[in-house]
Amino acid sequence: MATIKDVARLANVSVSTVSRVINQSGYVGKEFYDRVVWAMKELNYQPNAIARGLVSRKTATIGLIVPDVANPFFSDVARGVEDEAIANGYTVILCNTDWNLQREQMYVNLLQGKWVEGIVLVGSRTPEHELVGLLNGLPIILADRKPTHLKSGVWTDNEGGAYLATKHLIEMGCRKIAHISGPEDSPSATARRAGFRQAIEEQVGVYGTVAQGDFRYDGGYEAAIQLLSAEDVPDGIFAANDVMAIAVVQAANRKGIRIPEDVKLVGYDNIPMSEYVYPSITTVEQRGYDMGRMASKILIAQLDGRDDVSLTKEFEPTLLVRHSTRLDTP
Ligand code: RIB
């Protein structure tokens, strides 16, 4: 396969002249330009996209890091990131960390070696000041996390969403409410715990407790079995995501506890399964796909040097009432 040196030799010009023609950067006289184009055709030379990118540093590639590609919320976000990227001439390298903090940081390093132009980092738990040190100035946007040190981010008002979920359980008559939380170092889980506590503390005669979950099915199931095996079983459970809420349904079935008659249940995310499982799960909707598209849109505007797009976007949560709290819903 012909190389850039073969083209330079045949066209009787320097390699840097050929490179300027390939990358359309810098001045090349017409005679030399025509000779290079002729030589490229003669040799059927295909410029190496990565090599071209090394020169122009424009590989038109974005890195996308998600914590759990098997969770439909994150796959929705990933679809949104990719659809917006492709619509703007970018490709995406997807990395799944399986909630592993070291792997998240490894991917931030690895993607820089792949010459991505920027990174969309979803559901990250790496402290932001550590991220800044890892990035070496590479453009990044946080998704599903409100930035404090970094400038770009898209997220849902998680404290407001958790408040909505808990207030709904109280309005449905619950007085002993348990919250199965996400990982302690997850910013979205921390915000949801805060929203849960605020709703509980506002209401006289309502008691709240927090059980540790991890946003995963097994963690949610274990927490639910403990809650439903206690002497004082809660009459309401708010699970920090739908994957754990589905685990609560299975745990209640195992314990012979009826939802919503004995225990009312609310989840978070509105993944498709939350509607298909029986009873269908009342949940707080996160617009994962729209969040992903917006993350890509903001990052690409930065890469293209445009300032016509706001660097941050907060999405409003929406409560979707279903049978796990009210059997009389359609
Ligand atoms: O389902 C996974 C959860 O982790 C989602 O609620 C998302 O917000 C992330 O934080």
Side-chain angles (χ1 to χ4, degrees):
M1 184 169 73
T3 69
I4 191 169
K5 286 181 180 175
D6 298 329
V7 173
R9 192 176 302 113
L10 181 59
N12 193 25
V13 299
S14 69
V15 169
S16 58
T17 298
V18 178
S19 177
R20 284 200 298 277
V21 170
I22 291 170
N23 292 295
Q24 299 294 301
S25 62
Y27 174 75
V28 178
K30 184 174 183 327
E31 180 190 349
F32 279 24
Y33 187 94
D34 292 346
R35 279 187 0 219
V36 169
V37 170
W38 167 78
M40 285 169 70
K41 283 179 182 167
E42 283 294 300
L43 297 171
N44 189 30
Y45 171 70
Q46 298 296 327
N48 176 312
I50 293 296
R52 192 165 66 245
L54 289 177
V55 175
S56 65
R57 299 187 68 80
K58 296 294 283 179
T59 57
T61 307
I62 290 173
L64 169 60
I65 302 175
V66 300
D68 182 0
V69 72
N71 181 323
F73 169 76
F74 294 118
S75 46
D76 257 359
V77 174
R79 279 193 316 109
V81 169
E82 189 177 42
D83 285 356
E84 184 70 21
I86 287 173
N88 287 276
Y90 285 81
T91 54
V92 174
I93 296 175
L94 172 64
C95 304
N96 177 51
T97 68
D98 200 24
W99 296 104
N100 180 303
L101 212 52
Q102 286 68 39
R103 201 180 297 179
E104 179 177 302
Q105 293 161 8
M106 180 274 289
Y107 276 133
V108 172
N109 283 319
L110 178 134
L111 286 169
Q112 293 174 70
K114 298 289 183 189
W115 295 93
V116 299
E117 293 188 43
I119 291 177
V120 178
L121 183 54
V122 187
S124 165
R125 292 155 45 207
T126 300
E128 277 190 61
H129 64 278
E130 288 182 27
L131 274 178
V132 172
L134 286 170
L135 287 162
N136 303 309
L138 185 72
I140 187 171
I141 183 165
L142 298 179
D144 182 40
R145 179 175 179 180
K146 184 175 182 178
T148 52
H149 295 64
L150 295 165
K151 60 183 181 180
S152 305
V154 293
W155 67 94
T156 299
D157 171 12
N158 286 304
E159 190 164 339
Y163 181 87
L164 281 177
T166 311
K167 283 295 278 186
H168 174 65
L169 287 168
I170 294 169
E171 286 158 6
M172 290 297 106
C174 298
R175 294 295 176 267
K176 294 178 295 178
I177 305 173
H179 173 47
I180 301 178
S181 75
E184 284 188 332
D185 57 354
S186 157
S188 59
T190 302
R192 288 173 205 165
R193 279 195 296 273
F196 169 74
R197 289 200 180 98
Q198 183 189 344
I200 294 290
E201 286 161 9
E202 277 181 1
Q203 198 72 38
V204 174
V206 175
Y207 301 94
T209 180
V210 176
Q212 188 60 56
D214 57 2
F215 280 149
R216 305 176 93 158
Y217 181 89
D218 291 347
Y221 186 84
E222 188 183 317
I225 286 291
Q226 284 181 7
L227 289 168
L228 300 176
S229 304
E231 278 186 37
D232 193 13
V233 175
D235 55 8
I237 293 178
F238 164 40
N241 75 344
D242 287 341
V243 167
M244 295 196 294
I246 291 167
V248 173
V249 172
Q250 303 311 316
N253 289 340
R254 179 172 169 191
K255 301 294 289 183
I257 291 173
R258 301 169 302 165
I259 293 179
E261 296 86 345
D262 302 326
V263 176
K264 291 175 174 59
L265 170 65
V266 178
Y268 206 105
D269 288 343
N270 187 30
I271 63 174
M273 271 300 287
S274 68
E275 187 172 9
Y276 305 148
V277 73
Y278 183 82
S280 58
I281 296 173
T282 296
T283 187
V284 176
E285 180 168 48
Q286 288 212 82
R287 294 163 48 195
Y289 178 80
D290 295 338
M291 194 186 285
R293 286 207 74 143
M294 182 56 73
S296 239
K297 186 181 181 73
I298 293 171
L299 179 64
I300 289 167
Q302 290 180 64
L303 301 181
D304 293 348
R306 290 185 285 111
D307 60 2
D308 57 338
V309 179
S310 168
L311 294 180
T312 60
K313 167 74 175 173
E314 179 177 79
F315 286 86
E316 283 306 308
T318 310
L319 182 71
L320 304 177
V321 179
R322 297 188 179 125
H323 293 155
S324 68
T325 54
R326 282 188 58 168
L327 284 174
D328 60 352
T329 52

